[in-house]
């Protein structure tokens, strides 16, 4: 089948297997070019198929030689429809990891459910014994609560009052003003239930109870803060409430892991083009400007560079520093004063006429296509591609 990108709003409903494999190959190539890190040995990554979770898995495996077990929720291929990108990414990752002699196995299912937790624990017991690093990198618009059965939905809205700011349609480059109505109280609660720390805590408790956590285990989850211009829709909005809850959960997990001399961290990461961030209004325009400024200053990083720095300079570096609230910051370059001053200046002037020169809209579009395996110059998109790709060690 010849596969073309089919973009609907902020998602692409097709994915290219060879292009996804290329994206994974490039990330592995980058990590393999860096000095090896004396890091984790056996790693569980929850949300391992795209974005930050995939990059974390690649860094653990190819940067430290770790065995990895990945959990994700992806659509397998059928005769007539491509798989989702995370499926093809995982197939490519496992293939390369196995070729390099590393253990890599995967679970495809709803990480919020008890059955996926049980299945994952069963695999750790039979194949790995215990894990010494648990990465929690889920981003989901919904969750079925495993105890109450309630269907919960997360929304991205401001709290208290409407929020108006610039936004961009990154397909057309049209910059317009958007007003987002504030969330109802129930929407705030549901967003916290989906993207807050309850599920992270359930995972860590289940893993501890099953005795599959090694002495000195590290648990980590990812958060975002960002600049004032996005605060109303992000950090002070519904998703920010969920992130506050996630961050508070780190303290509870620290207590849970204390008998194992374990550690629990939040890493605040940089804003990047991923399937999740493209869905947030205002943020894609901010990211496009940020990309331009950081590329101009030679500071640009993607998910893989961020995660490589997280492992080598933070998590597995004896001199690791955290901020006043105990969080690891790899958004430090994004939040530098000179970077944010330049972003603010461009943001003020931004309109449809100057978006191409005042932002890296082109780079944003290319990275968006790359997420789904499109836009790589060395992939022959006009040729038939076999879409029925298996994940070698899918449990
Ligand atoms: P992403 O959409 O690329 O990845 C989400 C992952 O979660 C995928 O592997 C997906 O399969 C998995 N997933 C979703 N629902 C699932 C379910 N029910 N069961 C099992 N797996 C499921 O997202 P991302 O942008 O990499 O975000 C990962 C984390 O990083 C999030 O906590 C996010 O808030 C945080 N973060 C993102 C950014 C950014 O700019 N993208 C910045 C800082 C922090």
């Amino acid at each position: 089948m010849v596969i073309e990108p089919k973009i609907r709003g902020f998602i692409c409903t097709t994915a290219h297997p060879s292009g996804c494999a290329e994206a994974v190959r490039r990330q592995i190539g980058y990590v393999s070019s860096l000095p090896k890190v004396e890091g984790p040995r056996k790693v569980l990554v929850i949300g391992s198929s795209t974005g930050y979770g995939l990059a974390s898995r690649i860094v653990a495996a190819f940067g430290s030689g770790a065995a990895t077990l990945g959990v994700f929720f992806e659509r397998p291929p059928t005769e007539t429809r491509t798989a989702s990108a995370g499926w093809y990414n995982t197939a490519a990752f496992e293939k390369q990891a196995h070729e390099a002699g590393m253990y890599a196995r995967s679970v495809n299912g709803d990480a919020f459910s008890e059955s996926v937790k049980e299945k994952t624990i069963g695999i750790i017991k039979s194949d790995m014994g215990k894990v010494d690093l648990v990465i929690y990198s889920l981003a989901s618009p919904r969750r079925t609560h495993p105890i109450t059965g309630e269907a919960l939905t997360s929304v991205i809205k401001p709290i208290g009052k409407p929020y108006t700011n610039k936004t961009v349609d990154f397909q057309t480059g049209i910059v317009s003003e958007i007003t987002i109505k504030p969330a109802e109280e129930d929407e705030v609660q549901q967003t916290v239930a989906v993207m807050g720390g309850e599920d992270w805590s359930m995972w860590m408790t289940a893993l501890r109870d099953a005795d599959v956590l090694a002495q000195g285990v590290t648990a980590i989850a990812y958060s975002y803060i960002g600049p004032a211009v996005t605060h109303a829709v992000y950090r002070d909005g519904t998703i920010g409430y969920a992130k506050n809850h996630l961050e508070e959960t780190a303290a509870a997990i620290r207590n849970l892991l204390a008998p194992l001399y374990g550690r629990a961290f939040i890493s605040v990461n940089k804003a990047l083009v991923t399937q999740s961030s493209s869905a947030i209004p205002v943020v894609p325009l901010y990211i496009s400007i940020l990309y331009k400024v950081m590329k101009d200053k030679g500071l640009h990083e993607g998910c893989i560079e961020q995660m490589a720095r997280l492992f080598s300079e933070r998590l597995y570096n004896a001199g690791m520093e955290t901020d006043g609230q105990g969080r690891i910051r790899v958004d430090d370059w994004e939040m530098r004063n000179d970077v944010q001053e330049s972003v603010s200046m461009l943001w003020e002037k931004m309109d449809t006429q100057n978006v191409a020169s005042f932002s890296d809209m082109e780079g944003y579009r290319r990275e968006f296509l790359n997420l789904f395996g499109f836009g790589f110059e060395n992939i022959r998109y006009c040729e038939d591609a076999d879409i029925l790709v298996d994940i070698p060690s899918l449990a």
Side-chain angles (χ1 to χ4, degrees), residues 46-54 71-74 84 86-87 90 107-113 116 136-144 195 199 203 221-225 234 239 243 246 267-278 280 283 287 303 306 331 334 371:
I46 303 156
S48 65
S49 54
T50 55
Y52 275 118
L54 173 65
V71 179
F72 48 80
F73 210 4
E74 299 292 344
S84 53
W87 178 278
T90 304
V107 175
N108 186 29
D110 182 5
F112 295 126
S113 69
V116 163
Y136 188 83
S137 186
L138 284 192
S140 175
R142 63 193 71 84
R143 171 184 181 208
T144 302
M195 287 296 287
D199 182 61
W203 266 103
Y222 300 141
S223 189
Y224 182 64
I225 297 177
Y234 197 96
I239 186 77
K243 289 299 183 192
L246 183 81
S267 173
V268 182
N269 301 343
K270 178 196 178 191
L272 280 174
V273 183
T274 66
Q275 293 189 38
S276 299
S277 67
S278 342
I280 308 176
V283 166
I287 292 180
C303 287
Q306 277 269 293
D331 65 338
E334 169 183 358
L371 294 178

Side-chain angles (χ1 to χ4, degrees), residues 80-113:
T80 52
R81 196 174 180 203
T82 73
S84 53
W87 178 278
Y88 292 136
N89 290 341
T90 304
F93 168 81
E94 276 201 6
K95 189 164 175 285
Q96 288 214 53
H98 294 162
E99 279 167 13
M102 283 181 282
Y103 173 93
R105 210 170 161 194
S106 306
V107 175
N108 186 29
D110 182 5
F112 295 126
S113 69

Side-chain angles (χ1 to χ4, degrees), residues 102-329:
M102 283 181 282
Y103 173 93
R105 210 170 161 194
S106 306
V107 175
N108 186 29
D110 182 5
F112 295 126
S113 69
E114 281 177 5
S115 61
V116 163
K117 290 184 177 73
E118 281 165 15
K119 189 173 184 175
T120 306
I121 287 169
I123 295 170
I124 298 174
K125 278 191 171 160
S126 64
D127 293 8
M128 305 169 99
K130 297 185 184 209
V131 289
D132 58 6
L133 173 62
V134 181
I135 295 168
Y136 188 83
S137 186
L138 284 192
S140 175
R142 63 193 71 84
R143 171 184 181 208
T144 302
H145 197 281
I147 296 166
T148 65
E150 201 185 342
L152 303 153
T153 308
S154 87
V155 297
I156 295 163
K157 291 188 178 178
I159 292 175
K161 54 180 194 291
Y163 168 66
T164 301
N165 213 324
K166 292 175 190 178
T167 194
V168 69
D169 175 335
F170 60 85
Q171 298 309 331
T172 62
I174 294 173
V175 177
S176 59
E177 212 169 63
I178 184 173
T179 297
I180 313 167
K181 285 195 192 135
E184 307 286 336
E185 179 53 34
D186 180 52
E187 291 178 307
V188 180
Q189 295 311 326
Q190 290 202 33
T191 306
V192 171
V194 178
M195 287 296 287
E198 189 190 24
D199 182 61
W200 186 28
S201 178
M202 285 178 162
W203 266 103
M204 295 311 304
T205 305
L207 293 163
R208 194 271 322 257
D209 290 352
D211 195 22
V212 292
L213 297 175
Q215 287 276 318
V217 63
T218 300
I220 189 159
Y222 300 141
S223 189
Y224 182 64
I225 297 177
V229 70
T230 63
H231 277 180
V233 73
Y234 197 96
R235 195 65 209 199
D236 296 338
T238 48
I239 186 77
Y241 268 54
K243 289 299 183 192
N244 287 342
H245 187 268
L246 183 81
E247 293 182 14
E248 284 157 20
T249 304
I253 292 179
R254 224 164 270 143
N255 289 336
L256 180 86
L257 301 181
L260 293 168
Y261 304 100
R263 322 183 284 171
F265 293 112
I266 293 291
S267 173
V268 182
N269 301 343
K270 178 196 178 191
L272 280 174
V273 183
T274 66
Q275 293 189 38
S276 299
S277 67
S278 342
I280 308 176
V282 182
V283 166
L285 184 59
Y286 166 71
I287 292 180
S288 307
I289 301 174
L290 181 72
Y291 272 28
K292 177 177 171 48
V293 171
M294 292 188 79
K295 283 179 183 174
D296 286 352
K297 289 179 183 287
L299 293 173
H300 179 69
E301 293 178 300
C303 287
I304 197 69
E305 290 85 358
Q306 277 269 293
M307 293 301 94
R309 203 152 63 86
L310 172 65
F311 276 56
S312 65
E313 294 182 18
R314 304 287 196 275
L315 271 186
Y316 296 98
N317 179 347
M320 179 182 78
E321 286 178 6
T322 54
D323 69 10
Q325 288 159 67
R327 300 172 295 202
I328 296 173
R329 305 295 295 264

